[in-house]
Amino acid sequence: QRHKKMGSCFEQLATEAISKLGDLIVKSTVKQFEYLICHERLVGNLRKEHEKLMGMKDALKGQVEADRSRGLVVANNVQKWLSDVEAIDAKVHKLYGDAVENKRKKCVGGRLDYSLGKQATRASQEVVSLAKQKDELQPISYPKPAPRLGPTFTQDIKGLESRKKIIGDVMEKLKDDKIRMISICGMGGVGKTTLVKGVIKVVESEKLFYKVVMAVVSQNQNYQMVQAQIADGLGLSFRSGSVQGKARELLDYLQGTSRVLIVFDDVWSELDFESIGIPSLGHEKVCKILFTS
């Protein structure tokens, strides 16, 4: 009885396998005939999908060119997508040429018809896939990272041998999470700015902070100028026009980013950090202040 049941089970499995295999063979055969008989319709479908994709490409290319003219950096995946579209475009145009040549030779029902239908189907799949990928291309571009300050200073750190101890002391304070503000004070002309530039070079070489920015304050304080210098160093573009609006944007940016060192050079009187947009006490790990006075 058990052998009969097992035999019946094997027969059923074999029947199902043969049935599925038969379905695959039928589908494959139908597909082959479709390549042969419906090659013109398949090329026509490809043409429609290709035109849609080219419209997407032209629109995106226009946006990319506009962003580049504004100094933005185009995302790598966007550049790759445009390159892939250019490649499929060349492939499709070659196929169109083959279709015209096929018609000229009047190879109806021949080997070229089959090949043309098969190529058109595969190209259509690639085109549709690229069109779907377009919706995932976010962001298109982003602001160019601000350059590091150190390389912009012409004086070599080797010229600061006599001040290396002071630089070492400042570095220790910068690494202390309990200390938020450090001042370098002295009479005018003693080299405070040169010294702080030496500190910045060391800070950047040790990658102590995510960003280092510098703003010259001077005797006549102008908070808009100070905000503009900080924003330039951070690669931040303000949307607001007022000092208060820019302060809110700067505060949001600094509170949401990694460690930033802000250097205020040539400070003559107390700064109103709130009006500039500098985080308050309690954000020592986010934002540190170094100033000369």
Side-chain angles (χ1 to χ4, degrees), residues 46-64:
L46 169 62
R47 197 178 295 275
K48 289 177 185 177
E49 297 299 336
H50 178 233
E51 286 174 1
K52 288 180 191 175
L53 183 65
M54 289 302 102
M56 292 179 186
K57 184 207 77 171
D58 291 341
L60 181 61
K61 206 166 183 179
Q63 185 177 345
V64 163

Side-chain angles (χ1 to χ4, degrees), residues 171-202:
M171 290 298 296
E172 281 186 27
K173 304 297 182 192
L174 289 173
K175 291 174 183 177
D176 189 340
D177 288 337
K178 295 177 182 177
I179 297 175
R180 190 197 180 206
M181 285 193 292
I182 303 162
S183 62
I184 298 176
C185 302
M187 297 294 291
V190 300
K192 298 182 298 297
T193 301
T194 303
L195 180 64
V196 87
K197 286 179 178 179
V199 171
I200 290 172
K201 282 191 173 186
V202 177

Side-chain angles (χ1 to χ4, degrees), residues 8-293:
S8 176
C9 182
F10 281 131
E11 283 178 15
Q12 186 178 351
L13 288 172
T15 302
E16 288 178 3
I18 291 169
S19 176
K20 287 180 180 179
L21 182 60
D23 288 343
L24 290 173
I25 292 171
V26 169
K27 286 179 182 177
S28 177
T29 304
V30 169
K31 201 70 180 172
Q32 305 308 311
F33 274 110
E34 187 180 18
Y35 294 153
L36 182 64
I37 299 169
C38 305
H39 62 279
E40 288 186 356
R41 178 175 61 79
L42 294 173
V43 172
N45 291 342
L46 169 62
R47 197 178 295 275
K48 289 177 185 177
E49 297 299 336
H50 178 233
E51 286 174 1
K52 288 180 191 175
L53 183 65
M54 289 302 102
M56 292 179 186
K57 184 207 77 171
D58 291 341
L60 181 61
K61 206 166 183 179
Q63 185 177 345
V64 163
E65 288 171 0
D67 287 352
R68 277 181 175 148
S69 68
R70 288 163 45 212
L72 298 176
V73 178
V74 179
N76 288 334
N77 61 336
V78 172
Q79 296 184 62
K80 184 181 182 304
W81 186 85
L82 288 170
S83 176
D84 289 345
V85 171
E86 293 287 352
I88 192 65
D89 184 41
K91 184 176 178 180
V92 168
H93 273 99
K94 182 182 181 305
L95 195 146
Y96 291 160
D98 291 343
V100 171
E101 184 67 14
N102 187 30
K103 220 167 192 179
R104 188 180 68 80
K105 291 181 178 180
K106 296 181 180 179
C107 296
V108 179
R111 188 160 51 99
L112 290 177
D113 289 344
Y114 171 83
S115 177
L116 200 59
K118 189 173 184 179
Q119 288 180 61
T121 301
R122 288 181 176 176
S124 291
Q125 290 169 351
E126 290 182 56
V127 167
V128 169
S129 176
L130 282 168
K132 288 179 180 177
Q133 290 173 31
K134 164 67 173 58
D135 296 332
E136 300 170 7
L137 299 177
Q138 292 295 335
I140 304 300
S141 56
Y142 52 89
K144 187 181 292 185
R148 293 188 300 121
L149 283 175
T152 66
F153 303 146
T154 55
Q155 183 166 356
D156 197 339
I157 189 73
K158 291 177 182 175
L160 299 171
E161 290 292 341
S162 61
R163 302 171 194 170
K164 279 192 174 180
K165 184 184 182 305
I166 302 175
I167 292 175
D169 291 342
V170 172
M171 290 298 296
E172 281 186 27
K173 304 297 182 192
L174 289 173
K175 291 174 183 177
D176 189 340
D177 288 337
K178 295 177 182 177
I179 297 175
R180 190 197 180 206
M181 285 193 292
I182 303 162
S183 62
I184 298 176
C185 302
M187 297 294 291
V190 300
K192 298 182 298 297
T193 301
T194 303
L195 180 64
V196 87
K197 286 179 178 179
V199 171
I200 290 172
K201 282 191 173 186
V202 177
V203 165
E204 289 187 335
S205 68
E206 293 187 9
K207 296 181 171 59
L208 191 57
F209 291 87
Y210 169 65
K211 292 271 189 179
V212 181
V213 298
M214 186 173 181
V216 179
V217 181
S218 74
Q219 193 166 1
N220 299 315
Q221 290 183 0
N222 182 329
Y223 283 167
Q224 279 205 331
M225 289 296 294
V226 170
Q227 289 172 329
Q229 292 176 78
I230 295 172
D232 285 345
L234 294 172
L236 174 65
S237 297
F238 287 127
R239 297 184 300 276
S240 305
S242 65
V243 172
Q244 293 83 359
K246 290 176 180 177
R248 285 192 295 271
E249 289 184 48
L250 186 55
L251 183 62
D252 286 343
Y253 180 93
L254 291 172
Q255 288 181 335
T257 191
S258 302
R259 290 164 59 86
V260 174
L261 173 63
I262 301 177
V263 180
F264 291 108
D265 188 32
D266 196 21
V267 178
W268 285 69
S269 57
E270 188 175 353
L271 290 171
D272 184 350
F273 290 144
E274 184 178 344
S275 294
I276 298 171
I278 307 299
S280 60
L281 292 173
H283 291 85
E284 290 81 359
K285 293 183 179 181
V286 174
C287 180
K288 282 187 183 280
I289 309 296
L290 173 62
F291 66 89
T292 69
S293 181

